[in-house]
Amino acid sequence: MSDALLARAVGAARKARTTAVRVRRRVERMNTVLALGSHGRHRPLLRPVHLSVLGGRTLNAAVPFPSPVAGIRAARLELRHGSRRESVPLEQEPYGDGGMLLLTATAPLRHTVSTASSIGARTVAGGGREQPRTGVDLSQGVWRVAVVVTDGAGRELRAGLAAPAPHPVEGPTLPHPPSPASGALFRPVRSVDGHAMLKVTAPRRQAELTALDLRWDRVTVRGRLVGGRVPHAPYAAEAVRHGASAQGKAVPAPLLWEGDTFTFDLPLAAMAAGERTQRTWDVQLRSGRTRLRVARRLTGIRHPKKVFRTPYRVIALEGGALLRVHAHVTAAGALAVTCAAITATPIYEDA
């Protein structure tokens, strides 16, 4: 190998190491929050074998715990934010050589703006009577996670959780997707002192695309308003044309609301009127100065354009005109529509 090639190989290896260190530090910064007060008490830290939020809304935890001599009467996973405390029951099973127990929990997470405790007070109607609702309601903020065990003698043992080491995740899915139900983000993080935390971010107002009906005479958009306030009547649907020459040209579409869900047909006839070439349009909801792009965001897909693929359609309008329409999802997950009129080629018969 020549000196020039050797120098180039050494430089490439050094650059790769530098990039790896930079990526690791960036991931650590993204998943690290400030240390929260421990009220002057230093408790032991347990290192979980698993701690994650799956599907954007399901908390999963598995924590090894030394088996007390008196046994365990009850165990719970406690989440604390300020004066609020929420609990998730922990199941126990043998672990390792028999001197350890594995405490596990699986619980749905929901975002709430209420400051009242939700454990034991939430009920839902079922079968004509009120039944307790499972899961945990968490408000926005950073929640400290701990394990609380009551042994057979009635003594309460409390221990914090050590945060798992963050790992850069590559692949087709996001490591921390938003909740598809509420749009909130539940993300396990670590404090600077190594404790496991759960960071809750409230959903932002957005128009989530739920379905796209491609028919021979229309394209119907179905969606849901996330993080918005009722009533929804002030919102109007419209298609806005791309391009510098468009000058913000917008075409309204009749909008139908049912609760927080909306439905409307794309105004294809108005979008194609006076257009001789193919144009691209954005689809949005507008209320005053507020504009919400209709998009597919509440998924764990890293590259939505590569996954949510739609075919081209030939649409026949009421007047008999034909349009070539492609309603699709962009790389950012937003709904965009390209359409162009199909010019019929005249057929001449022999005289």
Side-chain angles (χ1 to χ4, degrees):
M1 179 182 293
S2 65
D3 294 341
L5 290 178
L6 180 60
R8 180 175 297 181
V10 172
R14 185 178 302 161
K15 184 177 181 180
R17 287 195 300 269
T18 303
T19 302
V21 171
R22 187 183 300 116
V23 170
R24 186 182 70 251
R25 290 177 178 175
R26 182 181 179 185
V27 172
E28 289 177 352
R29 287 195 300 270
M30 292 174 58
N31 293 280
T32 302
V33 297
L34 295 176
L36 303 181
S38 59
H39 305 286
R41 301 176 64 183
H42 299 281
R43 298 188 176 94
L45 290 181
L46 301 174
R47 186 164 299 278
V49 296
H50 184 81
L51 181 63
S52 67
V53 177
L54 300 181
R57 56 180 174 180
T58 304
L59 176 64
N60 287 269
V63 184
F65 192 88
S67 179
V69 176
I72 291 181
R73 181 187 302 175
R76 69 181 187 271
L77 190 69
E78 185 180 83
L79 297 95
R80 179 168 56 85
H81 173 62
S83 59
R84 286 194 60 187
R85 298 196 180 201
E86 304 292 341
S87 298
V88 178
L90 286 166
E91 301 291 336
Q92 52 181 304
E93 59 185 72
Y95 182 72
D97 59 359
M100 299 284 290
L101 294 173
L102 186 65
L103 306 180
T104 61
T106 300
L109 300 177
R110 291 179 293 267
H111 174 260
T112 179
V113 295
S114 174
T115 58
S117 178
S118 59
I119 295 298
R122 302 184 311 272
T123 58
V124 293
R129 58 182 180 179
E130 297 296 317
Q131 298 178 350
R133 187 173 70 178
T134 60
V136 186
D137 290 345
L138 302 178
S139 58
Q140 177 168 293
V142 179
W143 295 71
R144 184 183 288 272
V145 185
V147 170
V148 181
V149 171
T150 303
D151 65 10
R155 294 172 299 187
E156 189 173 85
L157 310 174
R158 183 183 299 268
L161 284 188
H167 298 286
V169 178
E170 298 294 337
T173 58
L174 299 172
H176 306 294
S179 169
S182 65
L185 183 62
F186 302 95
R187 185 162 63 94
V189 296
R190 67 184 299 273
S191 66
V192 293
D193 57 353
H195 284 75
M197 308 284 186
L198 186 65
K199 185 176 182 180
V200 182
T201 304
R204 61 187 182 89
R205 186 167 44 178
Q206 55 190 313
E208 176 70 9
L209 175 67
T210 58
L212 196 61
D213 298 339
L214 305 176
R215 304 178 183 178
W216 65 271
D217 62 340
R218 74 191 70 177
V219 175
T220 302
V221 178
R222 305 182 190 276
R224 178 168 64 94
L225 187 65
V226 178
R229 298 179 180 178
V230 294
H232 308 309
Y235 285 96
E238 61 184 14
V240 182
R241 203 181 81 181
H242 264 319
S245 61
Q247 297 180 351
K249 179 180 178 181
V251 178
L255 185 62
L256 177 64
W257 285 100
E258 185 175 350
D260 60 353
T261 62
F262 58 84
T263 305
F264 62 91
D265 293 335
L266 291 175
L268 296 176
M271 293 164 61
E275 302 292 347
R276 297 183 179 180
T277 59
Q278 178 174 287
R279 300 293 184 182
T280 301
W281 301 74
D282 297 326
V283 184
Q284 65 183 22
L285 300 185
R286 178 179 53 82
S287 177
R289 296 184 178 181
T290 301
R291 289 171 172 80
L292 305 176
R293 289 283 300 274
V294 178
R296 190 71 181 269
R297 295 190 177 94
L298 302 186
T299 69
I301 303 300
R302 189 184 297 273
H303 304 291
K305 184 178 181 179
K306 297 180 180 180
V307 176
F308 303 115
R309 304 178 69 87
T310 55
Y312 285 83
R313 280 287 187 269
V314 175
I315 305 295
L317 302 181
E318 290 185 359
L322 298 179
L323 301 180
R324 188 172 186 264
V325 179
H326 187 208
H328 60 281
V329 174
T330 66
L335 175 62
V337 182
T338 59
C339 62
I342 298 177
T343 303
T345 302
I347 301 176
Y348 299 94
E349 296 182 355
D350 295 337

